[in-house]
Amino acid sequence: MLELTHLEMTPKERLAAYACGEEVDRIPTTLSAGETGCLEMLGIPICDYYFSSDVMVEIESYLADHTGADNLGMGLGLRTLAEALGAKMAYPCESVSYVDEPGLASLDEVEGRDIVDIHKDGRFPIVVEAFKRLADKYGEVRNLGSGLAGPLTTATNLYGTERFLKATRKDPEGAHRLLRYTTECVIACCKDFHDLFGFGFSLSEPIASKDLLSKKQFDEFFVPYLRECVERMSAFQGGVPLHICGHT
């Protein structure tokens, strides 16, 4: 990394001071490599990233050591939680993963399902291992962080977007039952990571865009569950950033 100026603060100190409105040695910079960064920056196939804590750590270390970015950590993306809950994924080598087969054939299957366990379900153990190694390597000077899909987007990944949107009209009780389940799983996932590493999560909800939902659907099937996530997550991590793609 070419250092143009002498930096007096660590990334952790810089972000903390900036958040309090205090003077910093430079404006904090955050970068995200995510799934595609391994191919673009290091020539590593994207499909390798998903199943290797070594590659995850290599990408984040590259950002830390060669770009000077102040942030650090792997986002869980839109599908990691859904996969852990039973969705079948496809993993192209030069593109991001996608849901190949939803995890639920019927909304009746929601009853009695276990809440996600990040220590054993899906690819979560790989991600947990990567965060452990990053915390050991950089934890003294850098803040870790992550993000994942919220309850609505996770629900559509589990049941299929078109089928779920139809269910909001034809089987609203079943749609709410699934959203109740995904809400509990989102919160449990974030709480378990926070207990292990002390960092907070942002939420992404592309399905909440008004390109897909009517105002009535938005108010009934999105807002209550988002509000619950924010209230319960704020109790252990503070504020909860939200991103919604499209027109919102």
Side-chain angles (χ1 to χ4, degrees), residues 6-18 22-26 70 141:
H6 175 67
L7 300 178
E8 300 177 350
M9 307 176 81
T10 67
K12 184 176 287 190
E13 294 169 340
R14 186 176 300 115
L15 287 168
Y18 190 77
E22 300 173 0
E23 184 177 352
V24 293
D25 55 351
R26 67 162 172 80
D70 292 302
V141 296

Short mmCIF file of all heavy atoms in Angstrom, two decimals, residues 6-18 22-26 70 141:
data_model
loop_
_atom_site.label_atom_id
_atom_site.label_comp_id
_atom_site.label_asym_id
_atom_site.label_seq_id
_atom_site.Cartn_x
_atom_site.Cartn_y
_atom_site.Cartn_z
N HIS A 6 1.31 10.51 6.69
CA HIS A 6 1.53 9.78 7.92
C HIS A 6 0.22 9.72 8.70
O HIS A 6 -0.39 10.75 8.98
CB HIS A 6 2.60 10.47 8.77
CG HIS A 6 2.78 9.83 10.11
ND1 HIS A 6 3.29 8.57 10.27
CD2 HIS A 6 2.48 10.29 11.37
CE1 HIS A 6 3.33 8.27 11.56
NE2 HIS A 6 2.84 9.29 12.23
N LEU A 7 -0.22 8.52 9.03
CA LEU A 7 -1.48 8.34 9.73
C LEU A 7 -1.21 8.15 11.22
O LEU A 7 -0.36 7.33 11.60
CB LEU A 7 -2.23 7.13 9.17
CG LEU A 7 -2.59 7.22 7.68
CD1 LEU A 7 -3.30 5.96 7.23
CD2 LEU A 7 -3.46 8.44 7.41
N GLU A 8 -1.92 8.89 12.04
CA GLU A 8 -1.69 8.86 13.47
C GLU A 8 -2.69 7.98 14.21
O GLU A 8 -2.47 7.64 15.38
CB GLU A 8 -1.77 10.28 14.03
CG GLU A 8 -0.72 11.22 13.41
CD GLU A 8 -0.88 12.64 13.92
OE1 GLU A 8 -1.92 12.90 14.58
OE2 GLU A 8 0.00 13.47 13.67
N MET A 9 -3.78 7.59 13.55
CA MET A 9 -4.84 6.84 14.23
C MET A 9 -4.98 5.46 13.60
O MET A 9 -4.73 5.27 12.42
CB MET A 9 -6.17 7.59 14.13
CG MET A 9 -6.13 9.02 14.58
SD MET A 9 -7.70 9.90 14.34
CE MET A 9 -8.60 9.32 15.77
N THR A 10 -5.38 4.49 14.42
CA THR A 10 -5.74 3.19 13.87
C THR A 10 -7.15 3.30 13.26
O THR A 10 -7.90 4.22 13.58
CB THR A 10 -5.76 2.12 14.97
OG1 THR A 10 -6.83 2.40 15.89
CG2 THR A 10 -4.43 2.08 15.71
N PRO A 11 -7.52 2.35 12.40
CA PRO A 11 -8.89 2.38 11.86
C PRO A 11 -9.96 2.39 12.95
O PRO A 11 -10.97 3.09 12.83
CB PRO A 11 -8.94 1.10 11.02
CG PRO A 11 -7.54 0.89 10.58
CD PRO A 11 -6.70 1.32 11.74
N LYS A 12 -9.76 1.63 14.00
CA LYS A 12 -10.74 1.58 15.09
C LYS A 12 -10.85 2.95 15.77
O LYS A 12 -11.96 3.45 16.05
CB LYS A 12 -10.36 0.51 16.10
CG LYS A 12 -11.36 0.32 17.22
CD LYS A 12 -10.97 -0.83 18.14
CE LYS A 12 -11.22 -2.18 17.47
NZ LYS A 12 -11.06 -3.31 18.43
N GLU A 13 -9.72 3.60 16.03
CA GLU A 13 -9.72 4.92 16.64
C GLU A 13 -10.35 5.95 15.72
O GLU A 13 -11.12 6.82 16.16
CB GLU A 13 -8.29 5.34 16.99
CG GLU A 13 -7.63 4.52 18.07
CD GLU A 13 -6.15 4.78 18.19
OE1 GLU A 13 -5.54 5.31 17.21
OE2 GLU A 13 -5.56 4.45 19.24
N ARG A 14 -10.05 5.84 14.44
CA ARG A 14 -10.56 6.81 13.45
C ARG A 14 -12.08 6.74 13.35
O ARG A 14 -12.78 7.77 13.35
CB ARG A 14 -9.91 6.54 12.09
CG ARG A 14 -10.24 7.54 11.01
CD ARG A 14 -9.47 7.24 9.74
NE ARG A 14 -8.04 7.28 10.00
CZ ARG A 14 -7.24 6.20 9.92
NH1 ARG A 14 -7.74 5.02 9.59
NH2 ARG A 14 -5.96 6.31 10.18
N LEU A 15 -12.62 5.54 13.24
CA LEU A 15 -14.07 5.38 13.12
C LEU A 15 -14.79 5.84 14.38
O LEU A 15 -15.86 6.46 14.31
CB LEU A 15 -14.41 3.92 12.81
CG LEU A 15 -14.07 3.44 11.39
CD1 LEU A 15 -14.18 1.92 11.30
CD2 LEU A 15 -14.99 4.09 10.37
N ALA A 16 -14.21 5.55 15.55
CA ALA A 16 -14.84 5.95 16.80
C ALA A 16 -14.87 7.47 16.93
O ALA A 16 -15.89 8.06 17.33
CB ALA A 16 -14.11 5.32 17.98
N ALA A 17 -13.76 8.11 16.60
CA ALA A 17 -13.69 9.57 16.69
C ALA A 17 -14.63 10.23 15.69
O ALA A 17 -15.34 11.19 16.01
CB ALA A 17 -12.25 10.03 16.46
N TYR A 18 -14.66 9.71 14.48
CA TYR A 18 -15.51 10.28 13.44
C TYR A 18 -16.98 10.18 13.83
O TYR A 18 -17.77 11.11 13.61
CB TYR A 18 -15.25 9.57 12.12
CG TYR A 18 -15.89 10.21 10.92
CD1 TYR A 18 -15.33 11.35 10.35
CD2 TYR A 18 -17.04 9.68 10.35
CE1 TYR A 18 -15.90 11.95 9.24
CE2 TYR A 18 -17.62 10.27 9.24
CZ TYR A 18 -17.05 11.40 8.69
OH TYR A 18 -17.63 11.99 7.59
N GLU A 22 -15.51 14.05 16.32
CA GLU A 22 -14.20 14.54 16.71
C GLU A 22 -13.26 14.61 15.51
O GLU A 22 -13.52 14.04 14.45
CB GLU A 22 -13.61 13.63 17.78
CG GLU A 22 -14.46 13.55 19.05
CD GLU A 22 -13.95 12.51 20.02
OE1 GLU A 22 -12.93 11.85 19.70
OE2 GLU A 22 -14.56 12.34 21.09
N GLU A 23 -12.16 15.30 15.68
CA GLU A 23 -11.18 15.44 14.61
C GLU A 23 -10.50 14.10 14.32
O GLU A 23 -10.19 13.34 15.24
CB GLU A 23 -10.13 16.48 14.99
CG GLU A 23 -9.11 16.76 13.89
CD GLU A 23 -8.13 17.85 14.27
OE1 GLU A 23 -8.34 18.49 15.32
OE2 GLU A 23 -7.15 18.05 13.54
N VAL A 24 -10.29 13.82 13.05
CA VAL A 24 -9.62 12.58 12.64
C VAL A 24 -8.45 12.93 11.72
O VAL A 24 -8.39 14.03 11.16
CB VAL A 24 -10.59 11.62 11.91
CG1 VAL A 24 -11.65 11.11 12.86
CG2 VAL A 24 -11.24 12.31 10.71
N ASP A 25 -7.52 11.98 11.58
CA ASP A 25 -6.35 12.24 10.75
C ASP A 25 -6.68 12.18 9.27
O ASP A 25 -5.97 12.73 8.44
CB ASP A 25 -5.22 11.28 11.11
CG ASP A 25 -5.63 9.81 11.02
OD1 ASP A 25 -6.83 9.53 10.86
OD2 ASP A 25 -4.73 8.95 11.13
N ARG A 26 -7.75 11.46 8.90
CA ARG A 26 -8.29 11.46 7.55
C ARG A 26 -9.72 10.95 7.59
O ARG A 26 -10.14 10.35 8.57
CB ARG A 26 -7.45 10.60 6.59
CG ARG A 26 -7.49 9.10 6.88
CD ARG A 26 -7.02 8.32 5.66
NE ARG A 26 -6.85 6.90 5.93
CZ ARG A 26 -7.84 6.00 5.96
NH1 ARG A 26 -9.11 6.40 5.76
NH2 ARG A 26 -7.59 4.73 6.19
N ASP A 70 -10.85 1.12 6.29
CA ASP A 70 -11.01 1.10 7.74
C ASP A 70 -11.92 -0.02 8.24
O ASP A 70 -11.91 -0.34 9.42
CB ASP A 70 -11.56 2.45 8.22
CG ASP A 70 -10.54 3.56 8.04
OD1 ASP A 70 -9.44 3.44 8.59
OD2 ASP A 70 -10.84 4.54 7.33
N VAL A 141 -6.95 -3.40 16.16
CA VAL A 141 -6.90 -2.10 15.47
C VAL A 141 -8.06 -1.86 14.50
O VAL A 141 -8.25 -0.74 14.04
CB VAL A 141 -5.57 -1.96 14.68
CG1 VAL A 141 -4.38 -1.95 15.64
CG2 VAL A 141 -5.42 -3.07 13.65
#
